[in-house]
Amino acid sequence: MGAAQGGVGSLLAAGRFRLDLGKPLIMGVINVTPDSFSDGGRFFDPNAAISHAHRLSEEGADIIDVGGESSRPGALPVSVSQEMDRILPVLEGLKGLEKPLSVDTRRPEVMQAALSAGASIINDIEALQAPGALETVAKSQCAVCLMHMKGEPATMQKDPHYDDVVREVLHFLEDRAGKAMQAGIARSRIVVDPGFGFGKTAAHNFELLRRLKEFSSLNLPLLAGWSRKSTLGKLTGRPADERLAASLAAALLALQGGATILRVHDVKETRDVISVWEAYRQHES
Ligand code: 9MG
């Protein structure tokens, strides 16, 4: 197993943090939006977002991911200033938290402001394709998550098509990681993510999950986000706040496929899944 992919001794360099990739990590989600699909705006108020981040941290989150723009299917973009107004007070309020803060944004201006406010990871659903994004991340020491998305959140679920979803997503991530490294972002700072639910049908999402091991060819740590997603709603017929069991099942399958970072809403329960997974792995012959 390559040094940056995960496994004993490999580390993710994220600003002043070094995250051990030898065991699965949990990224806890904080949506500072009025219209999130998963928590319906419960953390739109900065104080509510800050308390929730502390709670997720106490429950065992290794990373806190703060987002000020909804990326749910059908969501419309917000302005740069709106996005900053939402996330900066939360980052400010979390300065004392001894955990790396990640910011879910695709805009270089927001990335720069977030990094100055103490963020150590940029989580970009557009994989640093916005003009200036590669350079902004390159000149910092933060880690970056490069995610695959086909289309834009507003329209991405309108009949997405792939000839071979795994090949296309893999090729995209390889290309974006290559561009990031050419721009000066060290391999030890890069995470990749197939982007479950972003311009993909349920069949595409399950094909990616079934063949997740193929992503190990990239030799980079893999992040998976299945938590409460609509594919799980379609399967179970349940609303977002009743998708815990389905989310945990998907998290376990993602671990089995080689994911090293799980982006989740339900940290405490995901911690238990990881404990079972770790015990199972230790006793593997
Ligand atoms: C912001 N966001 C929503 N879902 C996500 C996922 O699956 N991965 C990443 N990296 N970010 C996500």
Side-chain angles (χ1 to χ4, degrees):
M1 194 178 277
Q5 188 195 325
V8 178
S10 58
L11 297 173
L12 177 67
R16 64 196 169 92
F17 296 94
R18 295 292 173 271
L19 299 175
D20 179 2
L21 295 165
K23 60 174 180 59
L25 299 174
I26 297 181
M27 175 185 265
V29 178
I30 306 284
N31 290 311
V32 196
T33 54
D35 56 345
S36 146
F37 80 96
S38 52
D39 42 41
R42 275 173 63 212
F43 310 115
F44 189 44
D45 168 57
N47 290 323
I50 292 164
S51 332
H52 192 58
H54 280 284
R55 177 168 163 201
L56 296 188
S57 171
E58 281 154 22
E59 289 181 355
D62 302 287
I63 301 166
I64 300 292
D65 189 42
V66 180
E69 181 185 52
S70 175
S71 54
R72 72 176 159 73
L76 296 172
V78 296
S79 71
V80 166
S81 63
Q82 259 178 318
E83 200 182 338
M84 289 203 202
D85 289 348
R86 291 176 183 181
I87 62 163
L88 293 179
V90 178
L91 296 178
E92 194 57 43
L94 291 175
K95 273 212 163 120
L97 190 75
E98 264 310 300
K99 295 270 169 87
L101 302 177
S102 160
V103 169
D104 149 27
T105 185
R106 38 194 184 149
R107 297 193 169 105
E109 302 92 322
V110 181
M111 292 174 190
Q112 186 53 63
L115 293 169
S116 303
S120 301
I121 303 176
I122 296 297
N123 173 26
D124 186 358
I125 63 168
E126 275 183 11
L128 304 183
Q129 291 183 94
L134 276 171
E135 294 76 7
T136 303
V137 169
K139 69 177 194 246
S140 81
Q141 294 303 317
C142 70
V144 62
C145 177
L146 304 171
M147 198 198 81
H148 175 272
M149 168 169 66
K150 192 172 182 114
E152 276 278 311
T155 52
M156 67 190 177
Q157 290 309 104
K158 290 195 176 139
D159 199 22
H161 173 82
Y162 300 84
D163 289 328
D164 179 337
V165 65
V166 175
R167 247 209 0 236
E168 283 179 50
V169 173
L170 197 45
H171 180 263
F172 171 86
L173 293 176
E174 188 171 31
D175 178 63
R176 293 313 301 164
K179 296 242 169 34
M181 286 186 257
Q182 275 164 25
I185 304 172
R187 171 173 277 276
S188 59
R189 295 169 55 197
I190 302 174
V191 173
V192 288
D193 179 348
F196 293 106
F198 285 84
K200 290 151 191 115
T201 62
H204 294 140
N205 289 325
F206 277 99
E207 172 101 23
L208 284 164
L209 188 58
R210 204 176 303 115
R211 295 173 56 193
L212 203 57
K213 286 225 160 90
E214 294 180 35
F215 287 81
S216 67
S217 65
L218 296 174
N219 207 20
L220 287 164
L222 195 61
L223 185 150
W226 270 88
S227 185
R228 302 185 187 175
K229 287 216 168 139
S230 65
T231 287
L232 301 175
K234 280 201 191 95
L235 261 180
T236 59
R238 298 189 190 282
D241 62 352
E242 292 177 20
R243 295 177 193 159
L244 174 59
S247 301
L248 297 178
L252 184 60
L253 292 168
L255 290 173
Q256 181 84 333
T260 15
I261 306 179
L262 300 175
R263 184 180 182 277
V264 304
H265 302 84
D266 302 290
V267 168
K268 178 162 58 86
E269 295 84 352
T270 307
R271 208 12 89 225
D272 290 353
V273 169
I274 291 176
S275 299
V276 172
W277 162 249
E278 289 279 273
Y280 166 78
R281 267 211 312 186
Q282 268 174 25
H283 296 105
E284 251 177 357
S285 56

